Amino acid sequence: MSKGPFRVRAGVRDWLMAMGVAAALLFTGLSGQHSATGLDLLGYVLLAVGGLALAAGRRAPVPVLAVTGLCAVGYQAAGFDVAAVAFLFAVYAAMRAGHRLVTVVTSVAVLASLPLAALISGLHDKGEAFAQARGALQIAWLIAAGAAGEALRQAEQRADEAERTREETARRRADEERLHIARELHDSLTHQISVIKVQSEVAVHVARKRGEPVPETLLAIREAGREASRELRATLEALRDDDTSPPHGLDHIPELVARHGKTGLQATLTTQGQPHDVPAAVGRTVYRIVQESLTNIARHADATTASVRIDYRPDGVALQVDDNGKATPDTAPVPGIGLLGMRERVTALGGRLRAAPRDEGGFTVRAELPVERAS
């Protein structure tokens, strides 16, 4: 599609060009010399059809090439001394589409048929017929049209290849950078967090074994170490996650909910509707929303229960996560990194996300993801 204030659709441009060529051919036929063979109406029809057929040149270049060639031979035989302009346009379009062999064979056949058509018209003798055919379709113009179409086709091929290569290179670099960040996080943080976690676990265990009271600060350090370990693991999984083989999806949600249930949070999972296959991106997004929601509930909501409900619909998947925490309708939620990440994922798939306190208390996260648009 052309750019600028006067954009015209490709199909409209094709029809405008075709009608222009048909009008030029008809005008030439009306004003030029042609034999009185009684085939005038047929000649005018062939002139018009030959020009109008170019409107389909972008979608069906080979049939248009055949139609324009037959029309050129036909109106020459009907006695119309008109250049085969439409056929030259068709040669250009066919070469641009990559049909080189068919274009060459058809061009040779039309070139061979034009002298015979000129003889049939009765306007010329043998010598004049060959001269007329040469004038109707100059070989040089034919070669130029074919060469122009082939050159443009190759240029478009090179441009498409360059664009594809650039996108693949950018995607590969992004994947490499993501994996590099994952390795750096793993190497720099995992060991230190593991040391803190193990040492705090040992200190709590020793204190309890001796019958001594465990300081609250030590318990807080142990819980922080556990939570940091879980968060780091989830972050590394997200960084190593790719679109071709996603490690988590809808099938992993029951395990995720059960795992959070072991932390003291009473988490339940219910499904509605008939389960069906969804695109990997949708399944991965649902998993990440459930994961982030349950993590936020465990860390910030001061809740005892959480419910996860997945509703399978013919045109998408709906997800809702509720808790009975301390959030109230008059306390506006602070949009942290987790909520922003959820919204970005849902928006990228053309869905909707609502995250807000419930009227009866607690917090709710509701996402609706369309299946067709995401696939």
Side-chain angles (χ1 to χ4, degrees), residues 256-258 260-261 263-270 290-299 301-309 320-325 358 361-365:
L256 175 65
V257 174
H260 276 270
T263 64
L265 179 69
Q266 186 179 349
T268 59
L269 171 66
T270 58
V290 174
Q291 181 185 47
E292 182 64 27
S293 299
L294 292 178
T295 300
N296 288 341
I297 292 171
R299 293 178 61 183
D302 193 19
T304 57
T305 64
S307 63
V308 179
R309 185 168 72 250
Q320 185 164 327
V321 182
D322 298 323
D323 67 66
N324 66 342
R358 298 191 301 162
F363 201 80
T364 183
V365 175

Short mmCIF file of all heavy atoms in Angstrom, two decimals, residues 256-258 260-261 263-270 290-299 301-309 320-325 358 361-365:
data_model
loop_
_atom_site.label_atom_id
_atom_site.label_comp_id
_atom_site.label_asym_id
_atom_site.label_seq_id
_atom_site.Cartn_x
_atom_site.Cartn_y
_atom_site.Cartn_z
N LEU A 256 1.40 -26.01 40.62
CA LEU A 256 1.73 -24.71 41.20
C LEU A 256 0.83 -24.37 42.38
O LEU A 256 1.29 -23.93 43.44
CB LEU A 256 1.61 -23.63 40.11
CG LEU A 256 1.81 -22.18 40.53
CD1 LEU A 256 3.24 -21.95 41.00
CD2 LEU A 256 1.47 -21.24 39.38
N VAL A 257 -0.47 -24.61 42.22
CA VAL A 257 -1.41 -24.32 43.30
C VAL A 257 -1.14 -25.23 44.50
O VAL A 257 -1.16 -24.77 45.65
CB VAL A 257 -2.86 -24.49 42.79
CG1 VAL A 257 -3.85 -24.34 43.93
CG2 VAL A 257 -3.16 -23.46 41.70
N ALA A 258 -0.87 -26.50 44.23
CA ALA A 258 -0.59 -27.43 45.33
C ALA A 258 0.68 -27.03 46.08
O ALA A 258 0.75 -27.15 47.31
CB ALA A 258 -0.46 -28.85 44.77
N HIS A 260 1.87 -24.01 46.52
CA HIS A 260 1.59 -22.87 47.39
C HIS A 260 0.72 -23.29 48.57
O HIS A 260 0.78 -22.67 49.64
CB HIS A 260 0.90 -21.77 46.60
CG HIS A 260 1.85 -20.87 45.86
ND1 HIS A 260 2.38 -19.74 46.41
CD2 HIS A 260 2.37 -20.96 44.61
CE1 HIS A 260 3.19 -19.15 45.55
NE2 HIS A 260 3.20 -19.88 44.43
N GLY A 261 -0.08 -24.33 48.39
CA GLY A 261 -0.89 -24.81 49.50
C GLY A 261 -0.06 -25.36 50.64
O GLY A 261 -0.50 -25.39 51.79
N THR A 263 2.57 -24.01 51.83
CA THR A 263 3.19 -22.91 52.58
C THR A 263 2.28 -22.36 53.67
O THR A 263 2.63 -21.38 54.32
CB THR A 263 3.56 -21.77 51.61
OG1 THR A 263 2.36 -21.24 51.02
CG2 THR A 263 4.48 -22.27 50.51
N GLY A 264 1.11 -22.95 53.84
CA GLY A 264 0.17 -22.47 54.85
C GLY A 264 -1.02 -21.75 54.27
O GLY A 264 -1.99 -21.47 54.99
N LEU A 265 -0.97 -21.45 52.98
CA LEU A 265 -2.08 -20.80 52.29
C LEU A 265 -3.02 -21.87 51.75
O LEU A 265 -2.59 -22.78 51.05
CB LEU A 265 -1.57 -19.92 51.15
CG LEU A 265 -2.62 -19.20 50.31
CD1 LEU A 265 -3.30 -18.11 51.14
CD2 LEU A 265 -1.99 -18.60 49.07
N GLN A 266 -4.28 -21.78 52.10
CA GLN A 266 -5.26 -22.75 51.61
C GLN A 266 -5.69 -22.35 50.20
O GLN A 266 -6.56 -21.52 50.01
CB GLN A 266 -6.47 -22.81 52.54
CG GLN A 266 -7.47 -23.89 52.17
CD GLN A 266 -8.65 -23.93 53.12
OE1 GLN A 266 -8.62 -23.29 54.17
NE2 GLN A 266 -9.69 -24.67 52.76
N ALA A 267 -5.03 -22.95 49.19
CA ALA A 267 -5.26 -22.59 47.79
C ALA A 267 -6.04 -23.70 47.11
O ALA A 267 -5.73 -24.89 47.27
CB ALA A 267 -3.94 -22.37 47.07
N THR A 268 -7.05 -23.31 46.33
CA THR A 268 -7.88 -24.28 45.60
C THR A 268 -7.91 -23.90 44.12
O THR A 268 -7.77 -22.73 43.75
CB THR A 268 -9.32 -24.29 46.15
OG1 THR A 268 -9.88 -22.98 46.02
CG2 THR A 268 -9.33 -24.73 47.60
N LEU A 269 -8.14 -24.90 43.30
CA LEU A 269 -8.20 -24.72 41.85
C LEU A 269 -9.48 -25.35 41.32
O LEU A 269 -9.77 -26.52 41.62
CB LEU A 269 -6.99 -25.35 41.17
CG LEU A 269 -7.03 -25.42 39.64
CD1 LEU A 269 -7.00 -24.02 39.02
CD2 LEU A 269 -5.87 -26.26 39.10
N THR A 270 -10.24 -24.60 40.54
CA THR A 270 -11.44 -25.12 39.89
C THR A 270 -11.40 -24.74 38.41
O THR A 270 -10.86 -23.69 38.04
CB THR A 270 -12.72 -24.55 40.53
OG1 THR A 270 -12.69 -23.12 40.44
CG2 THR A 270 -12.85 -24.97 41.97
N VAL A 290 -1.12 -16.76 37.40
CA VAL A 290 -1.40 -17.52 38.62
C VAL A 290 -0.19 -17.52 39.54
O VAL A 290 -0.31 -17.31 40.76
CB VAL A 290 -1.80 -18.97 38.26
CG1 VAL A 290 -1.95 -19.81 39.52
CG2 VAL A 290 -3.10 -18.99 37.47
N GLN A 291 0.99 -17.70 38.98
CA GLN A 291 2.21 -17.73 39.79
C GLN A 291 2.42 -16.39 40.50
O GLN A 291 2.68 -16.35 41.71
CB GLN A 291 3.40 -18.04 38.89
CG GLN A 291 4.74 -18.12 39.62
CD GLN A 291 5.89 -18.31 38.65
OE1 GLN A 291 5.98 -17.63 37.64
NE2 GLN A 291 6.76 -19.26 38.95
N GLU A 292 2.31 -15.30 39.76
CA GLU A 292 2.54 -13.98 40.35
C GLU A 292 1.44 -13.65 41.37
O GLU A 292 1.73 -13.07 42.44
CB GLU A 292 2.55 -12.92 39.25
CG GLU A 292 2.83 -11.52 39.73
CD GLU A 292 4.22 -11.36 40.32
OE1 GLU A 292 5.13 -12.13 39.92
OE2 GLU A 292 4.39 -10.48 41.19
N SER A 293 0.19 -14.01 41.07
CA SER A 293 -0.90 -13.72 41.99
C SER A 293 -0.72 -14.46 43.31
O SER A 293 -0.87 -13.87 44.40
CB SER A 293 -2.24 -14.10 41.34
OG SER A 293 -2.47 -13.35 40.17
N LEU A 294 -0.41 -15.74 43.26
CA LEU A 294 -0.23 -16.52 44.49
C LEU A 294 0.98 -16.03 45.26
O LEU A 294 0.96 -16.01 46.51
CB LEU A 294 -0.10 -18.00 44.15
CG LEU A 294 -1.36 -18.68 43.60
CD1 LEU A 294 -1.08 -20.13 43.25
CD2 LEU A 294 -2.52 -18.58 44.58
N THR A 295 2.03 -15.65 44.57
CA THR A 295 3.21 -15.11 45.26
C THR A 295 2.86 -13.81 45.98
O THR A 295 3.26 -13.59 47.14
CB THR A 295 4.34 -14.87 44.26
OG1 THR A 295 4.69 -16.11 43.63
CG2 THR A 295 5.57 -14.31 44.96
N ASN A 296 2.12 -12.92 45.31
CA ASN A 296 1.72 -11.67 45.95
C ASN A 296 0.81 -11.92 47.15
O ASN A 296 0.91 -11.22 48.18
CB ASN A 296 0.99 -10.78 44.94
CG ASN A 296 1.94 -10.19 43.90
OD1 ASN A 296 3.15 -10.15 44.11
ND2 ASN A 296 1.38 -9.76 42.78
N ILE A 297 -0.09 -12.90 47.03
CA ILE A 297 -0.97 -13.22 48.16
C ILE A 297 -0.15 -13.69 49.35
O ILE A 297 -0.38 -13.25 50.49
CB ILE A 297 -1.99 -14.30 47.74
CG1 ILE A 297 -2.97 -13.72 46.71
CG2 ILE A 297 -2.75 -14.81 48.96
CD1 ILE A 297 -3.87 -14.76 46.08
N ALA A 298 0.83 -14.57 49.10
CA ALA A 298 1.64 -15.10 50.19
C ALA A 298 2.50 -14.01 50.85
O ALA A 298 2.74 -14.03 52.06
CB ALA A 298 2.53 -16.22 49.67
N ARG A 299 2.94 -13.04 50.04
CA ARG A 299 3.87 -12.04 50.57
C ARG A 299 3.18 -10.82 51.16
O ARG A 299 3.67 -10.25 52.15
CB ARG A 299 4.81 -11.59 49.45
CG ARG A 299 5.75 -12.67 48.96
CD ARG A 299 6.60 -12.16 47.82
NE ARG A 299 7.41 -11.02 48.21
CZ ARG A 299 8.21 -10.33 47.38
NH1 ARG A 299 8.25 -10.66 46.10
NH2 ARG A 299 8.92 -9.32 47.82
N ALA A 301 -0.69 -10.12 51.10
CA ALA A 301 -2.14 -10.03 51.34
C ALA A 301 -2.56 -10.37 52.76
O ALA A 301 -3.65 -10.00 53.18
CB ALA A 301 -2.88 -10.96 50.37
N ASP A 302 -1.70 -11.06 53.51
CA ASP A 302 -2.08 -11.52 54.85
C ASP A 302 -3.38 -12.32 54.77
O ASP A 302 -4.32 -12.14 55.56
CB ASP A 302 -2.24 -10.32 55.79
CG ASP A 302 -2.32 -10.75 57.25
OD1 ASP A 302 -1.91 -11.89 57.55
OD2 ASP A 302 -2.82 -9.97 58.08
N ALA A 303 -3.43 -13.23 53.77
CA ALA A 303 -4.63 -14.01 53.51
C ALA A 303 -4.43 -15.45 53.97
O ALA A 303 -3.31 -15.94 54.10
CB ALA A 303 -4.97 -14.00 52.02
N THR A 304 -5.56 -16.13 54.24
CA THR A 304 -5.52 -17.54 54.62
C THR A 304 -6.01 -18.45 53.50
O THR A 304 -5.69 -19.64 53.47
CB THR A 304 -6.37 -17.78 55.87
OG1 THR A 304 -7.72 -17.35 55.61
CG2 THR A 304 -5.80 -17.00 57.05
N THR A 305 -6.82 -17.90 52.58
CA THR A 305 -7.34 -18.71 51.47
C THR A 305 -7.14 -17.96 50.16
O THR A 305 -7.11 -16.74 50.11
CB THR A 305 -8.85 -19.00 51.65
OG1 THR A 305 -9.57 -17.78 51.61
CG2 THR A 305 -9.11 -19.73 52.96
N ALA A 306 -7.03 -18.77 49.12
CA ALA A 306 -6.94 -18.23 47.76
C ALA A 306 -7.61 -19.23 46.83
O ALA A 306 -7.47 -20.45 47.00
CB ALA A 306 -5.49 -18.01 47.35
N SER A 307 -8.36 -18.71 45.87
CA SER A 307 -9.04 -19.58 44.91
C SER A 307 -8.61 -19.19 43.50
O SER A 307 -8.54 -18.00 43.16
CB SER A 307 -10.56 -19.45 45.04
OG SER A 307 -10.99 -18.14 44.73
N VAL A 308 -8.34 -20.20 42.69
CA VAL A 308 -7.96 -20.02 41.29
C VAL A 308 -9.04 -20.68 40.44
O VAL A 308 -9.32 -21.88 40.62
CB VAL A 308 -6.58 -20.63 40.99
CG1 VAL A 308 -6.23 -20.45 39.51
CG2 VAL A 308 -5.52 -20.01 41.88
N ARG A 309 -9.66 -19.91 39.56
CA ARG A 309 -10.71 -20.46 38.70
C ARG A 309 -10.34 -20.20 37.24
O ARG A 309 -10.06 -19.08 36.84
CB ARG A 309 -12.06 -19.83 39.02
CG ARG A 309 -13.20 -20.47 38.22
CD ARG A 309 -14.58 -20.06 38.72
NE ARG A 309 -14.87 -18.67 38.39
CZ ARG A 309 -14.95 -17.70 39.28
NH1 ARG A 309 -14.73 -17.96 40.57
NH2 ARG A 309 -15.25 -16.47 38.92
N GLN A 320 -9.42 -16.24 37.02
CA GLN A 320 -9.70 -15.37 38.16
C GLN A 320 -9.04 -15.94 39.40
O GLN A 320 -9.17 -17.13 39.71
CB GLN A 320 -11.21 -15.21 38.38
CG GLN A 320 -11.56 -14.22 39.49
CD GLN A 320 -13.00 -13.79 39.44
OE1 GLN A 320 -13.59 -13.69 38.35
NE2 GLN A 320 -13.59 -13.52 40.59
N VAL A 321 -8.30 -15.09 40.11
CA VAL A 321 -7.62 -15.46 41.35
C VAL A 321 -8.12 -14.53 42.44
O VAL A 321 -7.97 -13.30 42.33
CB VAL A 321 -6.09 -15.36 41.21
CG1 VAL A 321 -5.42 -15.81 42.51
CG2 VAL A 321 -5.59 -16.18 40.04
N ASP A 322 -8.74 -15.09 43.49
CA ASP A 322 -9.29 -14.31 44.60
C ASP A 322 -8.61 -14.72 45.90
O ASP A 322 -8.16 -15.88 46.05
CB ASP A 322 -10.80 -14.53 44.74
CG ASP A 322 -11.56 -14.06 43.50
OD1 ASP A 322 -11.16 -13.03 42.92
OD2 ASP A 322 -12.54 -14.73 43.12
N ASP A 323 -8.54 -13.77 46.84
CA ASP A 323 -8.03 -14.09 48.18
C ASP A 323 -8.89 -13.37 49.22
O ASP A 323 -9.70 -12.50 48.88
CB ASP A 323 -6.56 -13.70 48.32
CG ASP A 323 -6.34 -12.20 48.25
OD1 ASP A 323 -6.80 -11.48 49.16
OD2 ASP A 323 -5.71 -11.72 47.28
N ASN A 324 -8.75 -13.74 50.46
CA ASN A 324 -9.50 -13.11 51.56
C ASN A 324 -8.60 -12.25 52.40
O ASN A 324 -8.74 -12.18 53.63
CB ASN A 324 -10.18 -14.18 52.41
CG ASN A 324 -9.17 -15.06 53.16
OD1 ASN A 324 -7.99 -15.09 52.80
ND2 ASN A 324 -9.62 -15.76 54.19
N GLY A 325 -7.65 -11.58 51.76
CA GLY A 325 -6.66 -10.80 52.48
C GLY A 325 -7.19 -9.49 53.01
O GLY A 325 -8.40 -9.25 53.09
N ARG A 358 -11.67 -6.48 46.24
CA ARG A 358 -13.06 -6.93 46.12
C ARG A 358 -13.95 -6.19 47.09
O ARG A 358 -13.49 -5.72 48.14
CB ARG A 358 -13.14 -8.44 46.39
CG ARG A 358 -12.35 -9.28 45.40
CD ARG A 358 -12.71 -10.74 45.56
NE ARG A 358 -12.43 -11.24 46.93
CZ ARG A 358 -12.95 -12.34 47.43
NH1 ARG A 358 -13.80 -13.06 46.71
NH2 ARG A 358 -12.63 -12.74 48.64
N GLY A 361 -14.00 -7.70 50.48
CA GLY A 361 -12.69 -7.80 51.10
C GLY A 361 -11.79 -8.75 50.34
O GLY A 361 -12.23 -9.69 49.68
N GLY A 362 -10.51 -8.49 50.42
CA GLY A 362 -9.56 -9.29 49.66
C GLY A 362 -9.28 -8.67 48.30
O GLY A 362 -9.73 -7.56 47.99
N PHE A 363 -8.55 -9.40 47.50
CA PHE A 363 -8.10 -8.90 46.22
C PHE A 363 -8.46 -9.89 45.12
O PHE A 363 -8.53 -11.11 45.36
CB PHE A 363 -6.57 -8.70 46.24
CG PHE A 363 -6.06 -7.76 45.19
CD1 PHE A 363 -6.13 -6.39 45.36
CD2 PHE A 363 -5.49 -8.25 44.02
CE1 PHE A 363 -5.65 -5.51 44.41
CE2 PHE A 363 -5.00 -7.39 43.06
CZ PHE A 363 -5.09 -6.01 43.25
N THR A 364 -8.72 -9.38 43.93
CA THR A 364 -9.05 -10.25 42.80
C THR A 364 -8.21 -9.87 41.59
O THR A 364 -7.96 -8.67 41.34
CB THR A 364 -10.55 -10.18 42.45
OG1 THR A 364 -10.84 -11.10 41.40
CG2 THR A 364 -10.93 -8.79 41.97
N VAL A 365 -7.79 -10.86 40.85
CA VAL A 365 -7.11 -10.67 39.57
C VAL A 365 -7.89 -11.45 38.53
O VAL A 365 -8.06 -12.67 38.67
CB VAL A 365 -5.65 -11.16 39.62
CG1 VAL A 365 -5.01 -11.07 38.23
CG2 VAL A 365 -4.85 -10.35 40.61
#
